Amino acid sequence: MDSEDSRRVLDPAQDGAALKALTHPLRLTLLGLLRQHGPATASELAVRTGESSASTSYHLRVLAKYAFVAEADHRDSRERRWKSVHDVTSWSNEAMHASPGGSVLLSVLHRRQIEHLQQSLDRHEADLDSGRLGEEWREPSGLSDLMPRLTPESLAELWEVFRAKTAELTARDAGDSRAEQVVLFTAGLPLAQEDTAAGEDA
């Protein structure tokens, strides 16, 4: 998981159009479905998303234009199947902020991820309530809002440890029939200390 071959790092100076293409919510949804469930046709993705086949077909072609998806092996010649080219898409926050319009794109992408979080939470709760997920998943599942005080270097180290441990556990569980797709959302958002003296009498 998350090897060099499976990760695509976008450069806002060269890949601005590709980054902008990712801000469309349906494109992000389609890309996520291909990564989660494997190759699919536009019609199959239309059923999953509630969109028309014409709409999913158009947005898949846009994703293909910017090399996020590619044609997969076809079961027959009647309809094209699509696959995700990479498991992970990432970028440098510093480079994004330094590029024209990059901060706006980054903000939109973050908000698209928050929308994905809400959709994933809704599905998770429905899967538990319907019995599609067993009760053994109820205890380890959840969200957390820890608020440690860290230096920039420690926050960067925490990201690296998290990615490495996730890759290790994914490899360990690859052959276990009990393994399920787990959607992991992580955030490291430093907040400047509030000026508590503001508004107080001198």
Side-chain angles (χ1 to χ4, degrees):
M1 176 182 173
D2 200 10
S3 67
E4 289 301 318
D5 291 337
S6 67
R7 170 183 288 269
R8 180 182 179 186
V9 181
L10 296 176
D11 178 357
Q14 300 179 9
D15 303 313
L19 281 162
K20 188 173 181 180
L22 275 188
T23 61
H24 192 286
L26 181 55
R27 289 173 202 153
L28 277 180
T29 298
L30 295 174
L31 185 57
L33 287 171
L34 291 175
R35 288 175 175 174
Q36 184 174 2
H37 301 290
T41 66
S43 296
E44 291 168 342
L45 292 168
V47 172
R48 284 186 173 274
T49 59
E51 298 284 337
S52 68
S53 295
S55 178
T56 55
S57 180
Y58 167 75
H59 289 293
L60 285 166
R61 289 196 302 272
V62 174
L63 289 170
K65 176 182 178 181
Y66 295 108
F68 292 111
V69 305
E71 287 194 44
D73 292 336
H74 304 315
R75 293 173 179 164
D76 55 50
S77 59
R78 291 177 296 176
E79 195 168 14
R80 287 191 290 183
R81 291 171 60 79
W82 299 92
K83 64 179 180 180
S84 173
V85 176
H86 304 93
D87 295 332
V88 179
T89 303
S90 64
W91 49 79
S92 162
N93 287 336
E94 185 177 356
M96 288 286 280
H97 282 285
S99 66
S103 295
V104 174
L105 280 176
L106 192 58
S107 180
V108 172
L109 287 166
H110 284 164
R111 278 151 182 76
R112 294 285 180 258
Q113 290 174 310
I114 295 298
E115 292 171 6
H116 185 203
L117 171 58
Q118 181 64 62
Q119 293 166 359
S120 298
L121 176 60
D122 292 343
R123 177 178 167 184
H124 164 73
E125 292 175 342
D127 285 347
L128 280 174
D129 292 343
S130 68
R132 288 191 296 269
L133 280 177
E135 284 298 313
E136 69 273 14
W137 286 103
R138 194 175 296 277
E139 184 61 31
S141 305
L143 304 173
S144 175
D145 59 350
L146 299 176
M147 292 185 285
R149 294 182 63 84
L150 300 173
T151 63
E153 294 78 15
S154 292
L155 181 55
E157 181 180 341
L158 182 59
W159 281 112
E160 288 303 316
V161 170
F162 175 82
R163 283 192 283 263
K165 190 63 178 181
T166 302
E168 174 192 331
L169 295 176
T170 300
R172 188 184 75 183
D173 292 349
D176 195 322
S177 62
R178 299 172 304 141
E180 299 282 4
Q181 189 83 49
V182 176
V183 180
L184 291 175
F185 282 87
T186 53
L189 307 173
L191 305 176
Q193 186 171 345
E194 295 181 358
D195 184 0
T196 57
E200 294 181 0
D201 293 333

